[in-house]
Amino acid sequence: MATTDTSDDKAGKAPVEAAPSEAIARPGETSSRPGVARPWIGKGLTLVLAVAAAVFGVLWWQAESANRLRTDALDSAREYAITLGTYDFQSFDASLAAVTEISTDEFAAKYNSVAGELRSLVENGQGSSVARADHAAVETVDGDRATVLVFLDQDVRNVAVPDGRTDATRFLITLVRDGDLWLLDGADAK
């Protein structure tokens, strides 16, 4: 046991003892006891890391969802442009049905209204076309709507061009989201 020498010792008072394991903190000094603040620092750091992970997880998920929508819109627009540009005079009704199946009700009605003229042109000219869309780019994706520019090439044959030729058409395809699918809502030649 340690004792301290004070002037009160001489007056007959008992000496004041200081515990060897505790240091007396003076005003303005911090405690030197190990482990007092460490649990709070560890818990605080864990909380900050958990919040940061959650925020970055949500941001990643949103970016992936947006990227998936863009990719789906691009793939759908290419496929739909090919469906629009591929036909044969011997199976024109099947081509018409294929277009209306992938379309909104409004676009299907518009397409059906011009199908009569198309049918007579294709059948009288014994026309056929095989389309491909090697190049396309998403212009916009806004929630449930997307516009995609599609470069469509059609290998066309008919009575006027029996050896065939390639026609190049650029379409601005408009799509509308219906559940998990994009539907054709417009096809404007540019």
Side-chain angles (χ1 to χ4, degrees):
M1 213 181 275
T3 59
T4 54
D5 185 24
T6 63
S7 59
D8 289 341
D9 277 344
K10 296 178 185 170
K13 294 188 178 180
V16 177
E17 296 179 9
S21 64
E22 292 184 28
I24 299 174
R26 294 188 178 112
E29 292 182 1
T30 59
S31 173
S32 62
R33 291 189 322 184
V36 170
R38 287 188 185 138
W40 291 105
I41 291 172
K43 289 177 183 176
L45 185 57
T46 301
L47 179 63
V48 167
L49 289 174
V51 168
V55 168
F56 286 121
V58 167
L59 292 175
W60 174 83
W61 180 81
Q62 288 174 335
E64 282 298 307
S65 294
N67 188 41
R68 191 171 32 258
L69 277 178
R70 291 179 70 80
T71 301
D72 289 348
L74 182 65
D75 292 345
S76 295
R78 278 184 176 175
E79 177 186 331
Y80 298 167
I82 290 170
T83 301
L84 279 168
T86 300
Y87 56 85
D88 189 286
F89 73 97
Q90 296 173 336
S91 59
F92 188 80
D93 288 334
S95 298
L96 178 62
V99 171
T100 57
E101 183 177 314
I102 59 173
S103 302
T104 61
D105 292 339
E106 295 82 14
F107 185 76
K110 287 179 194 176
Y111 191 74
N112 281 326
S113 71
V114 297
E117 291 178 34
L118 288 175
R119 179 190 318 276
S120 62
L121 273 171
V122 170
E123 289 176 350
N124 291 338
Q126 297 180 354
S128 66
S129 171
V130 176
R132 63 185 182 283
D134 296 331
H135 304 287
V138 174
E139 184 178 68
T140 61
V141 175
D142 293 321
D144 291 341
R145 293 190 66 79
T147 54
V148 180
L149 181 61
V150 178
F151 294 80
L152 187 73
D153 294 318
Q154 294 172 273
D155 295 326
V156 178
R157 291 183 187 274
N158 56 38
V159 292
V161 188
D163 294 332
R165 72 169 185 257
T166 300
D167 291 341
T169 308
R170 305 321 177 220
F171 281 104
L172 188 61
I173 302 290
T174 305
L175 303 170
V176 174
R177 192 86 173 151
D178 182 25
D180 291 340
L181 299 173
W182 287 106
L183 296 177
L184 182 60
D185 194 47
D188 299 318
K190 296 293 178 183

